[in-house]
Amino acid sequence: MAIAFTPKTTAGIGKVILSARNLHKIFKTPEGNDLLVLDNINLELAEGEIVALLGRSGSGKSTLLRCLIGLVSPSSGEVRYRNRLVTGPMPGMAMVFQSFALFPWLTVLENVELGLETQGIPEGERRRRALAAIDLIGLDGFESAYPKELSGGMRQRVGFARALVTNPDVLLMDEPFSALDVLTAENLRAELLDLWEARRIPTKAILIVTHNIEEAVLMADRVLILSSNPGRIISSQQIDLPRPRDRNDPAFLATVETIYRAMTAPAAAFTGATAVAIDHDSLGMRLPVVEVARVIGLIERIDAGPDRGRSDLPALAADMQLEVDDLFPITDAAELLGFAQVREGDIILLPEGVKLARSDIQERKMIVAEHLMNRVPLVAHIRRVLANRPDHRAPRERFLVELEDFMGAEEAERTLDTVIDWGRYAELFEYDVREERLRLPENGG
Amino acid sequence: MRATFPDTGVLRPRLKLTPWDVVVVPLVIVVILLLTIAFQGAAQPFDAATPDLTVSLDPLNLPYYGLRTVFRMFLAVLLSLLFTFTVATLAAKSRRAEVVIIPALDFLQSLPILGFLTVTTAIFLGVFRGSLLGLEAASIFAIFTSQVWNMAFSFYHSLITVPRELREAAAVLRLSPWQKFWKLEVPFAMPSLIWNTMMSVSGGWFFVVASEVIAVVGRDNDQYLPGVGSYIALAIEQADIAAMVYAGLTLLVIILIYDQLIFRPIVAWSEKFKFEQSEAQEVAQSWMLRLLQRSGFAGSLSAIGAVIRRRIPTFPVSEAPGSRVEAQSESRAIDRVLDRVWYGFVIAVTLWAVWFLATYMFGPGLGFENGRVLAANPNVNTDLSPEIARQFATFGVTANPDQTVWLSDVCAATAGGTQVSAELAALLRHERVNVPDDLVAACAVPMAPAGKVAWSEVWECLWLGLLTTMRVVLWIGISTLVWTPIGVWIGLRPRVAQFVQPLAQFAAAFPANLLFPVAVVLIATYALPQDLFQAPLMILGAQWYILFNVIAGTVSIPNDLKEAAQVLGLRGWAWWRKLIIPAIFPAFVTGGITASGGSWNASIVSEIVSWGSTTLTLSGLGAYIAYWSTGEFNPHVGLGMLIMGLLVLAFNRLFWRRLYLLAETRFRLD
């Protein structure tokens, strides 16, 4: 399937600046296995549009961005910028980083000027343009400050100034607001949109990577949704709402709802969740990395919510102040354990979930234990191995090696840690960090 | 208005003087003058006709000697920085260079530093023929080898750990490799490099003192390069207590000046390079830095520097894409071929080097002849006395330039020990000549070629190495037991720590060899057991690293952790076991590694100590190397160095590295 997600021809949107064709990215795990991170990505970024790349953590959206800007080479396929093949960072493209990536030993002014130094712009011109960028982005008075003297919001302003000072054609942003607190992020986002709307920056197109659905809907003309493991573009949503956009506008809410649905559609869901049905016995089932306490907290919340046992996901996320990255693993886990079901942007408690929500702590542990044994092959496997050993102990390494047959080393570590956390909660087994060994509880569990 | 140069003042900085320049301008002039004087002294002619170099014990000479010593130290640091910036960078940038450089550095840093002096003297004398610079270079090189390794390692480590996000930012901004090096990599490595340079210099004073007296082949007497180190050596030889005190005071002043005028300003300045997200509570201060920053003169100097830097043409503007950040995962076929060629070449060179070293040490038969192990061929002129060497020469036994007389040569001159004249027999019975009683029998046994070592000497050397190892372990252990409680006591009292910490660092810098004679006098006068009183000399200078690291570790224990321990009622041994030991462990390991490296090196000077005519020798590998450092590199000193290097390497790998890993993984407090 090779759908090219090209922009619809609407007014103000012009020719394609940046495009990716049949892009694949494969990482080698330390064991020498191939890990497909990006699968057949086709996209185009045209003049005059802001495109948001939306996906959960682990969907490869940051890798895709790095392929587009030329930091990372695709395993196959190609990226073109104004018809030139991208083989490394190109002049005309700028990037804003999640962690700001400022040089701590340079002042604000020096950081901003750095972007111009490579362009051979003479000293005076450089200074003038840097000061203009600093002024534009609201940093006047901080020219001689070092980044560590600044708050997070001000640091990201420096990040923007450094990117914008080169008058980039395309601005690529990697979760630029996610390291900031809610208010600062809101403020900076609005200012950037103002600059864009008023054409005060020469930038022709912006691509923003985010996991925040509201942010995507607030900013973008088009939202591309990336699935996880491997990353594939599964949906493209055009957003034609007038700007500035109002979060309480019913049309806005409807768009958010649509995107939630798209992201919770079976194909998009965490592969682990779908794997339950397809491939129940596989040890290599990927587990959502989430603590048991959060799953139970979520279930309690839904049970106690106004619609008793059913909840709208966007509303639930807003209510719990969670973003996609936080919320989806929890709902995935709830689904995986058979406590709830996600349907069209809603989450519905199953009878077992209701029972869990209304039990006391000991009963809960027993319910979770039962569900873990029935629904997570790895848990059952660990129990079996421990029970078969005369001393009921086994080193962590033993299971890790087994898991590495199915996934990369990091993924295996994460999966095993998650399972250990769940198993400990349910008192199915114990774990000694010092010896890195699992064992059955003393009383036999 | 010309758009290109908006501020002409930037281009032609006018000299704007401030009141602070009353101090700064004369200071700069004095420094330049002193450097000139020192260089003139070092560049004097020195050849076969020059009389032996010596120093005078008149304390009035000490300022000049101090200047010469500081000059050497200064050049050694410059050299170390040059080496660090080139070799460590190469190792970090090229995978192929890395596989050679890193193990080589690891081995070189394990070798006993003072052994290098014998290796290099002859080379440098040849390079700077007819000039004193040859001897100076040998001394500077010895100091260099004591400083460079940890600096190079720290720089290499920094370069390979530059945060990914910064590398990406540099790539997106399309910085050229040159710009990236100076704008990103060097600043990132700066704090750790400066810290390691400080540690290096602090350790370097010890070696300055030990490397200014140099034995030169072809001269009967040692050469005393003008410097505090040779002043001390002469004072020890002549048992002059007053001179020792003057020398100690001079070193005290030198180290103080070095610290205040150079290192404190640099450390305070380097605060800005620290890669941290928030401002530190305590920032290093330096009055000197403030002085320089307020001085108009210094400001103008740096402005001139900036103008020059701007005038250097930058790289042409390029529309070409920048470089990617990731390593190419799929290497090309040509790369794999080149890799094989390169590794093959490296292995071949290594094998050749091992073979070369082995034949150099053992001779062509590698210590065997006709399947039999050769016996040792000892040097009969045990004290390397030029006098005795001359007497041997009258009997047709030619002595070597370094005064050694080999048993095989004696045998050859006496037809296997059968034709010994009465005069020669008298010489052979001399108390400073060591010849087997039964010369004929000894000559009958096939022995190693003259000057080469035999396998029996290898085993002896290993045994000596074991003795020295045991001393190092014992005294590191004892000083740990002594200084840990004291360091913790101090560290828990911030006021005391503030006062003691600089003192401990200073004590670490102060060359402990100055105090060795005190031990000699005490041991000789009261007939004290050597093993108990001479052996601890090797830890004398190194123990402070344990102390100040323990203090630093204790100071950094978070308050809430201490309070939690108090609330939980942790007391006595439980308090140590649950709180203090785990919390200070990483800092202790850092100190322990430095201290053990220091005491290995110190063993060469502490196993043979003297005062006047009294010389005390403790049998060990250090004494063995010191004995064989005759002014010319020889198979025996090579053997000693090799064995010490291997022992230190093994000790670090088997002991310290494990503790270090443990500290990194289990006991980190962040």
Side-chain angles (χ1 to χ4, degrees), chain A residues 37-116:
Chain A
V37 180
L38 293 175
D39 186 16
N40 198 30
I41 303 283
N42 287 283
L43 64 83
E44 285 180 343
L45 187 63
E47 273 185 10
E49 65 169 352
I50 300 180
V51 169
L53 208 54
L54 190 61
R56 306 178 182 194
S57 59
S59 60
K61 54 192 190 298
S62 284
T63 308
L64 175 53
L65 182 101
R66 280 165 175 73
C67 282
L68 290 176
I69 202 168
L71 283 173
V72 167
S73 58
S75 306
S76 71
E78 60 173 40
V79 177
R80 281 185 178 274
Y81 164 69
R82 291 201 180 275
N83 263 333
R84 279 173 69 194
L85 192 64
V86 171
T87 55
M90 311 283 265
M93 290 204 265
M95 179 167 170
V96 175
F97 293 82
Q98 179 177 14
S99 57
F100 323 132
L102 303 176
F103 290 34
W105 39 84
L106 300 181
T107 62
V108 167
L109 184 64
E110 288 164 343
N111 262 296
V112 175
E113 271 191 66
L114 194 59
L116 295 174

Side-chain angles (χ1 to χ4, degrees), chain B residues 62-73:
Chain B
L62 273 171
Y64 176 68
Y65 292 161
L67 174 67
R68 294 286 296 270
T69 299
V70 168
F71 183 67
R72 268 170 221 132
M73 181 63 120

Side-chain angles (χ1 to χ4, degrees), chain A residues 25 66 70-73 84 86-89 91 97 99 102 104-105 115 117-119 123-124 146 148 155, chain B residues 4 165-166 168 171 173-174 179 183-184 187 271-275 277 310 317 319 321-326:
Chain A
K25 181 68 192 175
R66 280 165 175 73
L71 283 173
V72 167
S73 58
R84 279 173 69 194
V86 171
T87 55
F97 293 82
S99 57
L102 303 176
W105 39 84
E117 270 183 45
T118 42
Q119 306 203 337
E123 171 91 25
Y146 285 98
K148 63 180 132 194
R155 280 185 217 175
Chain B
T4 22
E165 71 214 50
L166 289 188
E168 286 183 342
L173 296 171
R174 294 188 304 127
Q179 281 172 318
K183 295 264 175 192
L184 171 59
E271 283 284 328
K272 71 168 174 176
F273 297 113
K274 281 201 181 143
F275 188 72
Q277 295 306 314
R310 276 187 212 112
V317 196
E319 287 297 304
S323 51
R324 299 197 190 271
V325 162
E326 50 164 10

Side-chain angles (χ1 to χ4, degrees), chain B residues 196-277:
Chain B
N196 277 286
T197 311
M198 251 173 87
M199 287 290 104
S200 279
V201 170
S202 147
W205 295 112
F206 181 94
F207 296 102
V208 167
V209 169
S211 65
E212 287 180 344
V213 179
I214 303 177
V216 175
V217 177
R219 283 174 181 262
D220 290 351
N221 301 311
D222 285 343
Q223 303 302 306
Y224 289 73
L225 282 172
V228 185
S230 15
Y231 185 93
I232 293 170
L234 193 67
I236 289 174
E237 210 170 287
Q238 300 184 358
D240 188 335
I241 295 169
M244 290 299 278
V245 174
Y246 293 137
L249 287 175
T250 310
L251 279 172
L252 209 76
V253 172
I254 290 176
I255 296 172
L256 211 64
I257 291 177
Y258 218 86
D259 181 65
Q260 288 296 312
L261 292 194
I262 299 180
F263 269 115
R264 257 168 227 272
I266 291 178
V267 168
W269 169 77
S270 74
E271 283 284 328
K272 71 168 174 176
F273 297 113
K274 281 201 181 143
F275 188 72
E276 55 193 7
Q277 295 306 314

Side-chain angles (χ1 to χ4, degrees), chain B residues 454-474:
Chain B
W455 282 100
S456 60
E457 287 171 291
V458 174
W459 312 133
E460 186 200 332
C461 229
L462 276 174
W463 167 244
L464 292 175
L466 202 66
L467 286 179
T468 303
T469 311
M470 284 188 330
R471 278 185 206 119
V472 170
V473 172
L474 180 72

Side-chain angles (χ1 to χ4, degrees), chain B residues 537-552:
Chain B
L537 291 181
M538 65 166 59
I539 195 79
L540 207 58
Q543 58 186 333
W544 308 110
Y545 291 102
I546 293 178
L547 175 63
F548 75 67
N549 275 294
V550 167
I551 295 178

